[in-house]
Amino acid sequence: MRLAALSASPLSGLLTRDPGMLKIGRTIEKVAGASVTIALLGESGTGKEVLARGLHALSQRANERFVAINCAAIPDTLLESELFGYEKGAFTGAVKQTLGKIETAHKGTLFLDEIGDLPMPLQAKLLRFLQEREIERIGGREEIPVDVRIVCATHRDLKDQIRAGLFREDLYYRLAEIVVDIPPLRDREGDAALLAHAFVQRFARENARGSMTLTDDALAAIEAHPWPGNVANSRTA
């Protein structure tokens, strides 16, 4: 995707003409240099990781690593070791010392995708890290300082999660120092057609089909579709 109004920016990966999304792009640019934690909230496929990567690229940490982990994609039994790492012999199969994602992102940016799916025991451990900025690997005794910028994202309503007892309120306020609400594609003025034109041109170029355009009927159907998968599904629909 490309954001025409910010074409010289790392956010040029975002294609939009919607005023709300353009405002979000400007917000990301403004807060990129601050050391605050950012929460990107929106439905799946709305571009949360695109914004997170743009935020990293605009920050003073741009030359360091951007490390992403999807908290919903990893089984609960493995997620702790993925985040915090482990020492050799910490458990069966731990044949060598292994750094977790938090430590791997030292000096850079850690993107915690689908943070709303983080299990309660790990929420407490993550909260402690955010307070102390130190971790302990599983099986370790040493407290290891880590300097990392946290960006998180979720499609869930975290306040509903708090009311349901599924998400810690104190962790929410640590993670959501700045909240960015990303609208779904169906609410972005003109973006569905803009994306459709861009994808048609790209696919035509990749498949040596020459110039291809969308008919008026096709554009009307695109504008009328609710796009439940948002931008992620608009590439193949």
Side-chain angles (χ1 to χ4, degrees):
M1 297 185 293
R2 180 171 307 163
L3 182 58
L6 299 169
S7 58
S9 158
L11 288 175
S12 60
L14 185 67
L15 178 61
T16 186
R17 62 169 59 129
D18 176 67
M21 285 299 294
L22 292 169
K23 183 177 179 180
I24 286 172
R26 291 190 290 271
T27 297
I28 293 294
E29 288 188 320
K30 288 177 183 177
V31 304
S35 59
V36 294
T37 300
I38 310 292
L40 304 171
L41 308 182
E43 295 179 7
S44 297
T46 50
K48 297 187 287 295
E49 185 165 348
V50 171
L51 292 174
R53 289 183 179 276
L55 185 72
H56 172 72
L58 288 163
S59 74
Q60 296 174 350
R61 301 174 183 267
N63 293 327
E64 304 295 339
R65 295 191 66 177
F66 176 92
V67 177
I69 183 169
N70 187 322
C71 299
I74 300 171
D76 293 358
T77 52
L78 300 178
L79 189 53
E80 182 178 9
S81 59
E82 282 290 316
L83 283 170
F84 294 92
Y86 54 86
E87 299 290 352
K88 180 179 179 180
F91 48 83
T92 302
V95 296
K96 64 177 182 177
Q97 181 190 80
T98 301
L99 304 188
K101 297 290 189 182
I102 294 174
E103 198 171 350
T104 302
H106 181 58
K107 298 292 186 182
T109 300
L110 176 66
F111 177 52
L112 298 171
D113 198 8
E114 298 303 348
I115 191 70
D117 291 89
L118 193 68
M120 268 290 185
L122 280 184
Q123 290 182 33
K125 192 165 183 177
L126 179 62
L127 177 63
R128 179 172 174 78
F129 164 68
L130 292 172
Q131 291 170 335
E132 305 297 333
R133 295 290 167 167
E134 294 178 338
I135 64 163
E136 275 188 21
R137 301 187 195 112
I138 298 173
R141 295 293 182 268
E142 180 185 2
E143 293 183 340
I144 303 163
V146 181
D147 173 17
V148 65
R149 204 269 184 77
I150 303 291
V151 180
C152 68
T154 183
H155 72 283
R156 299 189 182 279
D157 186 321
L158 291 181
K159 291 186 177 179
D160 281 349
Q161 294 281 94
I162 291 168
R163 286 189 287 269
L166 299 173
F167 202 84
R168 294 179 62 115
E169 187 172 19
D170 47 4
L171 177 59
Y172 172 80
Y173 287 113
R174 284 281 179 176
L175 290 171
E177 292 177 332
I178 291 181
V179 175
V180 177
D181 288 301
I182 306 169
L185 181 58
R186 61 185 173 275
D187 292 341
R188 299 184 195 177
E189 183 180 344
D191 276 6
L194 184 68
L195 287 161
H197 281 300
F199 293 143
V200 165
Q201 291 170 11
R202 192 186 83 188
F203 296 146
R205 192 166 55 248
E206 290 175 352
N207 293 283
R209 296 291 301 273
S211 177
M212 295 181 68
T213 58
L214 294 166
T215 65
D216 290 343
D217 286 348
L219 288 172
I222 286 166
E223 292 288 2
H225 189 68
W227 297 109
N230 293 296
V231 180
N233 278 11
S234 66
R235 298 167 186 266
T236 55

